[in-house]
Structures are given as structure tokens and as C-alpha cells.
Amino acid sequence: MNQRTGPSTLGRVARTGQARLGIALLTLIGLLVVFGHFFARHAPDAIVGRPLEGPGSRFPLGTDILGRDVLSRLLNGGLSLSWMAILAAGIGVFLGTLVGLTAAYKGGAVDALLMRAMDVLLSFPEIIFVLLFVSMLGRSTLLTAVLVGVAFAPGVSRVLRGAALPVVGSEYVLWARANGLPPTHILVREVLPGVISPLMVEAGMRLVWAIAAIASLSYLGFGIAPPAADWGLMVGENQDGLSVAPLPVLAPIALILMMALGGNLIAESLSRTVGRTEGKG
């Protein structure tokens, strides 16, 4: 029968120092996102001082270009980025896995048709793909997250198709097909467990890329709309005052980097663990 290596792989990853650092960073960011707004002194959109004030007792990180408290906006600004990145990564991994496993299982004309369609989508840079549809359909946080996820699906599908091909040709899958088991049952119960490790690697990588993509879209003005508090939006709003007051720009950049770095450390550790496991196998 197939080897379900997911839980044991996760256990080995969690024991590595690199993954522990990544988990610590993501835990810190998670606590900030979930509980940070309780500690904000001011409403995130309230103008409470002069524009670009320096740090002081009243405003520990100063004020932004409109006179809003930078710390309060930071404490309120990570929730949208977090749920949008998680949703985008989830959509990308789900759609990519569905297409990749279906193509590997069906083969022939279905495989060729699905993969050619994915190649067409891959020809568009992900940011350009999202900007194209946002400009036509209008700006929406949910729409942006969905579009980023759809843009990720072609890359995931190619990786999962390659990982699934050996599993589809294995004895237990051939036995299941010969005995007339439904394709859905075979894909979910037999093929999917055989690609859990590369699937987890893809999920970690896509989460990191989703953070970067959504923060970039907000910076460009196509993500979360002002005056909402958002770390990517804060960078774009305050870049003109960087030489006068750098903290309104550098502070959100630091938090975005911490989030992306934490995810990247976990994904890289997972990738190395999977590589060593497959090499021994």
C-alpha cells in the first residue's frame, strides 16, 4: 500500500532549528495580528498629530504622512494581509492539486489539454495577471486573494502532476483501477497520500509568495483600499516621507519580512527534509 509520510515528515521538520525559528517568527506575527489591535492607543484611521512626527512618548513610532499613529496602524494592519495570503495559498494549492492529479491520472488527451491550459496561464506573470482582472472587475480584498490563488495554480499543478505520475503507475493504484474503484476514491485515498510531502512543500512556498504578492499589490494601490490599515499600503502611502521619517515605511517592511522569512524557513526546512527522505528511499 501507499506510504503516508506526511505526519512523520512534519515531525522531522519541527525538530530542525531552522523550522523552529520560522515557527517562532510566524507565532510572533500571529500573536501581533490576532491581539495587536487590543493594545492600539488610537483608531488606525484617526489623525492624532502632525504629519511625520518623530518617535516620542506619545507616539512611540511617530506619525505617518497624514498624522496617524504608526504603531496603532501597525497593530491593526496585519489581519487583512494574513487572511488574504492564507486564502490565496489555499486556493492555489487546491486548484493546482486538483488539476495536477487529474492530469496525471487521466493521461492522454485530458493530460495534454489541462497542461496546455496551465502553460497559457503560466505565460502571464502573476502580478500582471492579477492587475489585469482587478483593473477590469474593480478592487476587492476577496477578489484579489482569489486572483492571486488562481495565478499560483498552474505552477502547483505542474509540480503535483510530476509527483503523481509515479504514484499513478504504482501497483496499488493499478490494482484499484483494475477492481473498478471510483476515480475520486482512487485520487483521494491512494494517489493524494503519495504526494503529501511535495504538496506540503508547495503549500509553504505559495504562502510565502502570497504574502509578497499581496503586500506588493497593496503597495501599488491595487490591494487593500485606504484608509484601511495594511502593512503593504503603509509602505506606499509613506514612501514620499522616507527621508524625513523612515519608521512609517521601515516598520511595516520589517513585519512583512518577518512573516515571509518565517514561512520561507519552514518551507525550506520541509523541502530539505523531503529531499533527504526521498534520497534514502
Side-chain angles (χ1 to χ4, degrees):
M1 292 297 291
N2 51 351
Q3 295 180 350
R4 288 165 169 79
T5 59
S8 61
T9 300
L10 287 177
R12 288 192 295 272
V13 170
R15 290 193 291 269
T16 64
Q18 181 173 316
R20 287 177 179 175
L21 176 58
I23 292 171
L25 289 174
L26 289 184
T27 300
L28 181 61
I29 292 294
L31 291 173
L32 179 66
V33 167
V34 175
F35 300 107
H37 64 280
F38 292 114
F39 300 94
R41 294 183 179 179
H42 307 282
D45 57 349
I47 298 176
V48 293
R50 293 181 290 105
L52 302 178
E53 281 191 44
S57 58
R58 187 182 177 195
F59 307 116
L61 296 179
T63 61
D64 68 2
I65 202 164
L66 295 179
R68 298 169 296 192
D69 181 28
V70 172
L71 180 58
S72 295
R73 287 182 66 78
L74 284 177
L75 293 174
N76 283 275
L79 183 59
S80 296
L81 175 60
S82 299
W83 76 256
M84 288 173 69
I86 293 171
L87 178 61
I91 290 174
V93 170
F94 174 77
L95 292 178
T97 301
L98 181 63
V99 173
L101 296 190
T102 302
Y105 181 79
K106 292 292 186 180
V110 174
D111 182 16
L113 179 62
L114 289 176
M115 287 300 99
R116 295 299 78 75
M118 295 299 101
D119 288 341
V120 171
L121 291 177
L122 276 173
S123 65
F124 290 91
E126 292 161 354
I127 295 295
I128 301 300
F129 175 86
V130 176
L131 290 178
L132 174 65
F133 283 93
V134 168
S135 63
M136 292 191 299
L137 302 177
R139 181 165 55 183
S140 162
T141 53
L142 180 59
L143 175 64
T144 300
V146 171
L147 289 173
V148 171
V150 172
F152 286 162
V156 177
S157 69
R158 298 200 68 85
V159 173
L160 268 295
R161 174 186 175 273
L165 284 174
V167 181
V168 169
S170 61
E171 293 182 359
Y172 55 85
V173 173
L174 294 176
W175 179 90
R177 299 181 75 164
N179 282 270
L181 294 180
T184 303
H185 174 91
I186 297 174
L187 286 173
V188 175
R189 299 294 299 274
E190 304 296 341
V191 178
L192 182 60
V195 298
I196 284 294
S197 292
L199 177 60
M200 290 189 297
V201 173
E202 279 296 304
M205 291 175 57
R206 299 299 165 175
L207 179 60
V208 174
W209 294 353
I211 293 168
I214 292 171
S216 299
L217 288 167
S218 294
Y219 168 78
L220 294 172
F222 290 92
I224 299 169
D230 173 74
W231 296 340
L233 184 60
M234 288 177 67
V235 178
E237 288 177 332
N238 297 293
Q239 61 181 348
D240 291 338
L242 181 61
S243 60
V244 178
L247 284 178
V249 174
L250 298 182
I253 287 178
L255 293 179
I256 293 171
L257 288 177
M258 285 178 62
M259 183 185 292
L261 178 61
N264 186 66
L265 288 173
I266 295 173
E268 184 177 345
S269 179
L270 181 57
S271 178
R272 290 181 177 178
T273 302
V274 169
R276 287 195 296 267
T277 302
E278 294 177 346
K280 292 178 181 179

